[in-house]
Amino acid sequence: QKHTSIIHKYFDEQSIPLLLPIVGSTLAIPAWYLTTHTAGTTTTNAFEIAMFWLAVEYLVAECWFGPTIAVLQSAVGPSKTGTAQGLFVLTGAVGNLAPTLLGWIYGNQIDGGSASSSSEVLANLLGWGVCMGYLLSAIFFAVSVLSDGETLEASSKRN
């Protein structure tokens, strides 16, 4: 009986680099949550603990750029790498609007007379907002692994 691992079942040579962003985004969720919710504890070294979790979050969450760009460029082919890279940067720019959105929500909650303290509101908002972003990233990276590239191949044959 031939044994195949889960990794070999879902990943091929072109998509295996996306395993790192999937795992990194997933591990960033608890690390970020612990970063934002450690400071509110009564522990005397809460700041140091929060900074430790922030360092862990940076290490696991920010490791996706290289593998993602490599997969993107190999998937679209040499004639479309510039366009693909430009669209990739554009989506990142749109994603950078998230802090503005979170700030707007925070301002409305504080102005609306939230029963919680402002630091508690901010910690919860950042915790949920950023963790959901990491979860969506992991899901989108996984979905991109499951796509088999037929759409890209058909599109490039028409052009």
Side-chain angles (χ1 to χ4, degrees), residues 136-158:
L136 287 172
S137 293
I139 290 169
F140 289 139
F141 283 128
V143 167
S144 69
V145 168
L146 296 176
S147 69
D148 57 10
E150 288 178 11
T151 305
L152 287 173
E153 289 173 18
S155 173
S156 65
K157 287 179 182 176
R158 281 184 275 159

Side-chain angles (χ1 to χ4, degrees), residues 104-124:
W104 180 78
I105 294 170
Y106 172 73
N108 285 337
Q109 285 188 349
I110 296 302
D111 291 342
S114 174
S116 303
S117 70
S118 64
S119 61
E120 185 180 342
V121 169
L122 184 59
N124 286 329

